[in-house]
Amino acid sequence: MAGITYEDFIDLSYEPADSDLVCAFRIAPAEGMDVADAASRVASESSNGTWAALPTGEGFTDMGATAFAIDDGEVAAGETTEIRVAYPAGLFEPGSMPQILSCIAGNILGMKAVDSIRLLDCEWPEGLATSFMGPQFGSDVREEIFGVSDRPILATVPKPKVGLSTERHAQVGYEAWTGGVDLLKDDENLTDQDFNPFHDRLVESLAQRDRAEDETGEPKSYLINVTAGTNEMLERVDQVAAEGCEYVMVDVITCGWAAVQAVRERCEELGLAIHAHRAMHAAFDRLPHHGVSMRVLAQIARLVGVDQLHTGTAGLGKLANEDTVGINAWLRDDLYGLSDVLPVASGGLHPGLVPDLLDATGTNVCVQAGGGIHGHPDGTHEGAKALRAAVEAYAEGISLESKADESPALATAIDKWGTETPR
Ligand SMILES: O=C(O)[C@H](O)COP(=O)(O)O
Ligand SMILES: [Mg+2]
């Protein structure tokens, strides 16, 4: 009977088929393991092989992956190099992100054949990419929900991030909306706690939203965090639609991609957009040589169908960022006709950072500031006015200093924070 060993998973002359999923990894081969062996172990363990030679023959379809490129075949122990692996389409269950990740980001992340391994990038073939729903609205939310095209949409998270009563949370929303932000956003760890129950918060915040819309004449919306176990989360999605909100927010990493897929299906029926918070992404992407890159996490988020995704602040905010600009470009590029995703810049932003941020990201984004609004010396309403003035200055092509002459709120914010990056 014919058999396979891990050495059968490398072929440097292989040219990937159009239907293959091609993944780039950075690997550090373990002591005593040469690069080619490590690369073939990666291809083997992530497709249909294991550490031992295996029987094949009748009743076996070869779903083996092929390591077909190695950047540096002579890499020394403790150093890294990039490899590329091609996976045949038949290995994957179409439309199942958990199954795909159990291959390309599964056992190999802990395999002793490598000291470290990072999934850097994927080239998604059309068949696999279009087996997912993709976003329902993508960056069209700006026009469709807010009628805005010349500036970023603006969001704010009430702070402190948890502990505010429902009444105070909704009041903070009212002050922020009337000050000029478009979206009130829940924080990632606010869901349904005793101090601020989900349904009460939904109803009271939307009542304040309606008031703010009447007073300002602008559309406003609310990113309410529906994150929970999947069944409960779907119940909450239904409640959000029933109360007349346009969005739900989901902590996509902590609740898991299969749950996000379930939310996406329900949101198709209900016409709701999905705002994706990426809390916990850094467990996968912060160490540069190991894990799964934010770029790949963003690709997954687009495929499963979120409309807005936190992708960082191009290094300007309080959180470590990986290539915000490159990731945002990928989210906007054509992907077999799937909608794009609106990038959200969040984490330590304040008005003084707006010009540099928008120079880096462009204006087709959502800018979120929590502390940068509620920490304003004159409170939330003035903080929101300052952020709005900063993005308007950018759209008008004038400096923050000139705009501050006509916006005391912005002048106060600049006075307090300048253009410094917080930590
Ligand atoms: O969830 C978020 O995006 C953060 O709460 C941002 O808060 P910050 O603007 O105060 O950093
Ligand atoms: Mg937060």
Side-chain angles (χ1 to χ4, degrees), residues 159 161 185 187-188 277:
K159 299 282 175 175
K161 54 166 89 187
K185 179 179 110 49
D187 228 322
E188 66 282 349
H277 195 290

Side-chain angles (χ1 to χ4, degrees), residues 315-334:
L316 293 164
K318 71 182 182 187
L319 303 169
N321 288 172
E322 170 195 315
D323 189 21
T324 302
V325 171
I327 291 168
N328 290 359
W330 189 94
L331 290 173
R332 292 208 188 88
D333 255 13
D334 180 53

